[in-house]
Amino acid sequence: MAESHGNKGAAHTSAGDGHKAPFPPFQKETFASQLVSLAIAFVALYLIVSRIALPKVGKTIDDRQARIEGDLAEAQKLKDESDAALKAYEADLAAARSRAQAIGNETREKLSAASEAERKTLEDKLSAKLADAEKTIAATREAAMSNVRGIASDAAAAIVQRLTGVAPDAKAVNSAVDASLKG
Amino acid sequence: MAADPIHQFEIHKLFTIGHIGGQEIAFTNSSAYMFATVAVISLLMLATGRQLVPGRMQSVAEISYEFVASMLRSSAGSAGMKFFPLVFTLFMFICVSNLIGIIPYTFTVSSHLIVTVALALLVFFIVLFYGLYKNGLKFFKLFVPSGVPIYILPLVVFIEVISFFLKPVSHSVRLFANMLAGHIALKVFASFVGMLGALGFVGWLGAVLPLGLTIALTALELLVAFLQAYVFAILTCIYLNDAIHPGH
């Protein structure tokens, strides 16, 4: 620190220059200089702060606040939208499911009705065929039975002729065959 | 010279600016530190970015802004926000100049009574004139608390008037005395370290205690530097609140 001795009027003296200097904060000679400097510095700082610095920093803070609020609102809006979409999707899914069930039921009923009808016609056809077949069997049996009588008569006549050497009376053979067939 | 605890408060003339009424107006070391304070605050507040996510410097600027804004709003209401630049300037000027003053070999602007008196009187006159301008004669209700029995009212009014005019005194002396005393204490303990260290080995051992105290005191002074700026600013807010809402 330079020992700058006060020049004119002993202003701005420093301690230890021979005579006892007063306590620095109470040296009246320095008051005017300090006041002028303080006034200039304080007014300059006030102008810088109030005109430039505070509006700038305040705007930064406000912008950030607005941005945060905007982002939150946007997020809320998107969330609402996605909730609505989810709800719509679920509703669609439920509707589709019930429609699918309805279609399934309808188809099943239709198919079962169709198959039932088909079965019925088939059964009818089959039973008709069965009846026909039974009839044919009965006729065939009858024919066969009548053929058996003829064959039996011929066979009996032939047996009698071989045994007796005399051709038997056809009537007598027939009545005998009839009697044995009955018996 | 180094051991003189008063030396740090001396005002040195750097050059002469001019004369006002025969009184020399000089640019002194005090002036230099005042302008350095202004420069530091301007740098902090103006040179920082405007990012959405603030960096360190920008955070400091924004925290200062919001700290002073909430201090003023909580004590003087939203009507007090028109004084925000004033309170912010006062707080930042005192806080930054005090913090600069803790750096060794620097000068503390607010360790001079004339500076703190000037700032306190600035607040006092703003309160007085704004209170009268805003409220007219209702401003004097400040001195008449409601709900006081009539027979002790004169005494209460007398005390209120005295306390009103003593406000700038306590306002300025508190800051001045805190800074002065803190720096003297720091200097005294630090000079013990030097004096004991000169005694040799035993002195070195003995110097540990004042060295530790100096470190602790420096931490305390950091707190005091901020705290006194805060106290000055919050008292300003409270006095401004008196001017805006004079009824008790």
Side-chain angles (χ1 to χ4, degrees), chain A residues 122-137:
Chain A
L122 205 61
E123 263 174 10
D124 287 355
K125 224 187 272 175
L126 282 177
S127 58
K129 259 186 190 162
L130 203 61
D132 273 1
E134 271 168 5
K135 237 180 250 165
T136 312
I137 288 167

Side-chain angles (χ1 to χ4, degrees), chain B residues 78-115:
Chain B
S78 51
M81 289 313 281
K82 64 165 69 96
F83 294 106
F84 181 43
L86 174 76
V87 178
F88 188 82
T89 308
L90 278 170
F91 173 75
M92 290 304 277
F93 185 79
I94 295 169
C95 188
V96 171
S97 65
N98 286 354
L99 290 174
I100 290 175
I102 294 175
I103 301 167
Y105 300 109
T106 57
F107 176 84
T108 310
V109 171
S110 55
S111 68
H112 275 252
L113 188 57
I114 187 70
V115 173

Side-chain angles (χ1 to χ4, degrees), chain B residues 46-173:
Chain B
L46 298 180
T48 52
R50 305 203 43 184
Q51 260 102 54
L52 187 68
V53 178
R56 283 182 226 169
M57 290 296 277
Q58 196 186 338
S59 281
V60 173
E62 288 177 7
I63 288 167
S64 321
Y65 180 100
E66 289 184 327
F67 177 72
V68 178
S70 67
M71 170 167 62
L72 182 56
R73 194 176 289 117
S74 63
S75 52
S78 51
M81 289 313 281
K82 64 165 69 96
F83 294 106
F84 181 43
L86 174 76
V87 178
F88 188 82
T89 308
L90 278 170
F91 173 75
M92 290 304 277
F93 185 79
I94 295 169
C95 188
V96 171
S97 65
N98 286 354
L99 290 174
I100 290 175
I102 294 175
I103 301 167
Y105 300 109
T106 57
F107 176 84
T108 310
V109 171
S110 55
S111 68
H112 275 252
L113 188 57
I114 187 70
V115 173
T116 64
V117 163
L119 295 176
L121 282 178
L122 173 74
V123 173
F124 178 77
F125 283 116
I126 285 173
V127 166
L128 192 62
F129 288 118
Y130 183 76
L132 285 172
Y133 161 75
K134 180 86 189 299
N135 304 292
L137 291 177
K138 281 190 199 155
F139 178 64
F140 293 109
K141 281 206 319 211
L142 186 62
F143 304 126
V144 189
S146 57
V148 174
I150 191 78
Y151 49 87
I152 62 164
L153 197 58
L155 182 65
V156 170
V157 168
F158 179 66
I159 291 170
E160 288 281 343
V161 169
I162 287 183
S163 84
F164 181 77
F165 285 100
L166 282 180
K167 272 173 184 175
V169 177
S170 64
H171 203 186
S172 57
V173 169

Side-chain angles (χ1 to χ4, degrees), chain A residues 7 15 24 33 37 56 60 64, chain B residues 10 13 26 31 46 48 52 62:
Chain A
N7 40 13
S33 304
S37 302
K56 186 196 113 176
T60 310
R64 180 178 307 125
Chain B
E10 279 167 17
K13 185 180 77 169
S31 317
L46 298 180
T48 52
L52 187 68
E62 288 177 7

Side-chain angles (χ1 to χ4, degrees), chain A residues 1-16 20-68 71, chain B residues 1 4 6-7 9-13 17 20 23-28 30-31 34-35 37-38 41-42 44-54 58 61-62 65-66 82 84-86 88-90 92-93 105-107 109 111-116 118-119 122 176 180 184:
Chain A
M1 292 286 184
E3 294 278 315
S4 70
H5 292 255
N7 40 13
K8 287 174 187 171
H12 315 303
T13 53
S14 58
K20 183 78 179 158
F23 188 50
F26 300 136
Q27 284 172 338
K28 291 195 190 64
E29 319 84 62
T30 67
F31 285 3
S33 304
Q34 289 196 69
L35 282 177
V36 169
S37 302
L38 178 67
I40 295 168
F42 196 81
V43 168
L45 184 61
Y46 183 85
L47 289 177
I48 291 168
V49 159
S50 63
R51 293 287 148 85
I52 312 169
L54 291 186
K56 186 196 113 176
V57 176
K59 190 170 181 312
T60 310
I61 293 172
D62 288 350
D63 284 354
R64 180 178 307 125
Q65 191 63 30
R67 172 78 183 270
I68 289 169
D71 282 1
Chain B
M1 176 185 104
D4 181 6
I6 303 302
H7 177 77
F9 303 114
E10 279 167 17
I11 301 271
H12 303 288
K13 185 180 77 169
I17 300 170
I20 297 177
Q23 176 68 54
E24 184 184 26
I25 304 300
F27 190 89
T28 63
S30 172
S31 317
M34 287 174 193
F35 290 115
T37 302
V38 173
I41 297 169
S42 305
L44 172 69
M45 300 304 291
L46 298 180
T48 52
R50 305 203 43 184
Q51 260 102 54
L52 187 68
V53 178
Q58 196 186 338
E62 288 177 7
Y65 180 100
E66 289 184 327
K82 64 165 69 96
F84 181 43
L86 174 76
F88 188 82
T89 308
L90 278 170
M92 290 304 277
F93 185 79
Y105 300 109
T106 57
F107 176 84
V109 171
S111 68
H112 275 252
L113 188 57
I114 187 70
V115 173
T116 64
L119 295 176
L122 173 74
F176 157 69
L180 185 82
I184 289 175

